[in-house]
């Protein structure tokens, strides 16, 4: 459920009419709803009521906006970060270091050092090599890094190939069969306290079965590691729960996920970490755009909007579906190709889509753009970065300024020797 509804014929974000935002801030613009973020944060937490000891760490990559992180910090959430940039954002939003988990397959020495200095709660190391490097850096500082070893469970998550992470040939984690040896090799290092295991098999999961298989494998591994004398106190179950992008699409609910997690992990006797991203932020944001022009096509007309693949990359990258709707629908519909202005055919949001009837100048939204939207933007075609607005009831604020192409150009220079 979200808070983007039609009231008096016009789509609102909570109590604010979207045309008001378009007028004030211009388009395209991302609009987030605080009430929706908080609702999703609560629903996810409540679904895990039966799990006594846990940390829910929002996957910052899904939406790193500071105001969004602040809302989630207010809900008691921690942060799953994958770069020093994300770590700094989490800290700036007031998330305490003990609630920060650092994931990622390619953490640099500088990043490991910065995270050690910040005394974050846990490093999810993705290889023995990383563990040894972290041990060396921590020992040089005379500190101990709390770590979990990310396992690649070799489970097919059944999601898009580009966001699948738990198959044996994916770059993430280590094979279960090597975990015992890696624990053994790191056990004596004073710089690391390898206290658990972690898993994340993919994103936008529409079926709980692969997750359950992965968790069961992890449970067996925890038993085996304990049998070999290792102390296991923490297990990180990652993120991945999908959200409905299409009307009427049915996906496993947080409650069903919570029930499965509680059942599978009930005898583990560990503190569990969760890293949800999309399920918290996805439906809490829309991309508000204006129709530039409607152009005749061979079959269907092209509705050319002012948002493009650089603002919302998911359709171009993954062929992802985002619901597209008029802000002030007139009741009629049309079949159209929804495209952006960028000079490649990949800049297509939808082909042959039945949508609300639109003419030049109309406002429309791409829904479910709160996760992996603004965060994946680029400045391709020198289009700059668009603004982000957070709505809270009848209040709204620009929470990220538009960065126009000119400011980006200001960071560039022509060397003397080219003059
Ligand atoms: N934890 C780890 C280690 C991850 O790699 C991810 C996402 C998450 C948690 C959060 O997953 P979520 O709950 O959001 O599914 N750009 C793609 C999604 C990439 C996801 C990458 N990892 C998209 O737009 O669909």
């Amino acid at each position: 459920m979200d808070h983007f509804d039609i009231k008096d014929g016009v789509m609102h974000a909570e109590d604010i009419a979207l045309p008001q935002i378009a007028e004030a801030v211009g388009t395209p613009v991302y609009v987030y709803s605080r009430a929706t973020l908080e609702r999703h944060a609560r629903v996810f937490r409540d679904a895990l009521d039966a799990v006594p000891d846990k940390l829910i760490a929002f996957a910052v990559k899904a939406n790193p906006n500071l105001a969004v992180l602040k809302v989630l910090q207010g809900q008691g959430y921690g942060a799953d970060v994958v770069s020093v940039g994300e770590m700094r954002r989490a800290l700036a939003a007031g998330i305490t270091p003990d609630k920060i988990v650092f994931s990622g397959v390619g953490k640099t020495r500088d990043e490991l050092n910065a995270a050690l200095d910040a005394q974050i709660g846990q490093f999810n190391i993705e290889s023995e090599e990383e563990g040894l490097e972290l041990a060396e850096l921590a020992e040089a500082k005379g500190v101990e890094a709390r770590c979990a070893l990310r396992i690649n469970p070799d489970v097919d998550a059944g999601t898009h190939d580009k966001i699948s992470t738990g198959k044996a040939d994916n770059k993430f984690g280590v094979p279960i069969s090597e975990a015992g040896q890696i624990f053994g090799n790191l056990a004596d290092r004073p710089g690391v306290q390898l206290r658990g295991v972690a898993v994340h098999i993919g994103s936008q999961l529409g079926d709980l079965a692969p997750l359950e298989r992965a968790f069961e494998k992890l449970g067996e591994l925890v038993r085996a590691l304990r049998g070999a004398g290792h102390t296991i106190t923490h297990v990180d179950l990652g993120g991945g729960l999908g959200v409905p992008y299409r009307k009427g699409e049915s996906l496993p609910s947080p409650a069903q996920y919570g029930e499965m997690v509680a059942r599978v992990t009930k005898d583990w006797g560990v503190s569990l970490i969760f890293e949800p991203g999309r399920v918290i932020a996805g439906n809490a944001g829309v991309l508000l755009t204006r129709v530039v022009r409607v152009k005749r096509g061979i079959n269907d007309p092209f509705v050319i909007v002012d948002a493009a693949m650089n603002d919302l990359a998911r359709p171009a990258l993954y062929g992802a579906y985002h619901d597209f709707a008029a802000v002030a629908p007139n009741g009629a519909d049309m079949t159209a190709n929804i495209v952006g202005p960028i000079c490649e055919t990949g800049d297509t949001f939808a082909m042959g889509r039945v949508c609300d009837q639109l003419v030049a100048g109309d406002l429309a939204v791409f829904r479910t753009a709160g996760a992996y939207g603004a965060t994946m933007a680029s400045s391709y075609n020198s289009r700059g970065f668009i603004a982000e607005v957070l709505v809270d009831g009848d209040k709204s604020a620009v929470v990220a300024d538009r960065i126009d192409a000119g400011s980006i150009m200001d960071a560039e220079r022509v060397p003397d020797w080219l003059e």
Side-chain angles (χ1 to χ4, degrees), residues 138-160:
E139 284 153 19
K141 291 178 190 288
V143 297
E144 187 181 53
R146 292 168 293 272
C147 297
L149 180 62
R150 179 162 176 184
I151 305 299
N152 183 322
D154 194 17
V155 165
D156 185 349
T159 187
H160 193 284

Side-chain angles (χ1 to χ4, degrees), residues 75 110 154 156 174 248 267 322 343 403 409 414:
Q75 291 293 312
D110 283 352
D154 194 17
D156 185 349
V174 303
D267 298 326
H322 282 264
C343 296
I403 300 176
M409 191 170 67
V414 177

Side-chain angles (χ1 to χ4, degrees), residues 59 61-62 80 82 103 126 150 163 165 172 200 202-204 238-241 245 275-279 314 318 371-372 376:
K61 64 173 80 67
D80 161 50
V82 292
S103 305
E126 301 231 9
R150 179 162 176 184
I163 54 176
T165 50
F172 299 98
H200 171 80
S203 196
Q204 185 55 13
L241 204 53
Y245 280 88
E275 303 173 347
R278 191 186 318 259
V279 73
R314 304 192 67 256
Y318 317 120
Y372 306 111
M376 290 174 66

Side-chain angles (χ1 to χ4, degrees), residues 200-231:
H200 171 80
I201 61 168
S203 196
Q204 185 55 13
L205 306 185
D207 180 7
L208 292 178
L211 270 180
E212 183 165 346
R213 268 202 304 286
F215 295 170
E216 275 166 355
K217 287 188 175 193
L218 225 57
E220 284 160 27
L221 176 62
V222 167
R223 277 188 291 281
L225 290 169
R226 283 180 173 152
H230 301 291
T231 305

Side-chain angles (χ1 to χ4, degrees), residues 25-281:
V25 186
T27 56
V29 54
Y30 278 99
V31 182
Y32 308 129
S33 150
R34 176 182 182 175
T36 311
L37 282 168
E38 290 184 338
R39 184 189 143 78
H40 292 171
R42 271 196 312 273
V43 166
F44 191 82
R45 190 181 44 229
D46 290 352
L48 293 167
D49 251 359
V51 175
D53 187 1
K54 59 179 172 286
L55 167 69
I56 308 178
F58 176 63
V60 172
K61 64 173 80 67
N63 190 325
N65 183 279
L66 272 185
V68 168
L69 297 183
K70 187 74 198 168
V71 169
L72 296 173
Q73 182 263 345
Q75 291 293 312
Y77 273 48
D80 161 50
V81 304
V82 292
S83 68
V84 157
E86 288 191 352
M87 181 185 82
R88 299 233 155 90
R89 285 172 174 275
L91 292 169
I95 294 173
T96 51
D98 57 302
K99 288 188 175 176
I100 297 181
V101 177
F102 198 164
S103 305
V105 66
K107 306 176 199 76
T108 64
R109 283 174 92 82
D110 283 352
E111 288 183 309
L112 293 172
N113 269 321
L116 284 170
D117 292 343
Q119 301 182 321
I120 63 157
Q122 180 167 299
F123 293 80
N124 286 350
I125 59 172
E126 301 231 9
S127 61
E128 177 166 2
E129 294 85 344
E130 182 188 344
L132 291 169
E133 194 166 342
L134 179 60
E136 175 199 321
L137 298 174
E139 284 153 19
K141 291 178 190 288
V143 297
E144 187 181 53
R146 292 168 293 272
C147 297
L149 180 62
R150 179 162 176 184
I151 305 299
N152 183 322
D154 194 17
V155 165
D156 185 349
T159 187
H160 193 284
D161 264 357
K162 287 190 187 166
I163 54 176
S164 185
T165 50
K167 285 189 274 185
D169 58 356
N170 294 147
K171 66 182 173 180
F172 299 98
V174 303
I176 287 199
S177 56
E178 290 178 18
Q181 192 194 339
I182 296 174
F183 263 77
N185 292 348
L186 289 169
D188 298 335
R189 295 298 298 255
V192 294
Q193 181 206 340
L194 193 48
R195 62 180 191 177
V197 287
V199 74
H200 171 80
I201 61 168
S203 196
Q204 185 55 13
L205 306 185
D207 180 7
L208 292 178
L211 270 180
E212 183 165 346
R213 268 202 304 286
F215 295 170
E216 275 166 355
K217 287 188 175 193
L218 225 57
E220 284 160 27
L221 176 62
V222 167
R223 277 188 291 281
L225 290 169
R226 283 180 173 152
H230 301 291
T231 305
I232 306 296
T233 54
H234 289 72
V235 175
D236 185 332
L237 297 181
L241 204 53
V243 301
Y245 280 88
R246 295 167 198 259
K247 283 199 189 78
E249 191 177 0
S250 138
L251 283 133
S253 67
Q256 289 166 322
Y257 171 82
E259 180 279 318
M260 181 274 281
V261 167
R263 176 165 46 76
V264 176
T265 65
K266 68 178 183 311
D267 298 326
W268 289 9
V270 294
S271 177
L272 288 180
I273 300 172
F274 299 89
E275 303 173 347
R278 191 186 318 259
V279 73
I280 305 298

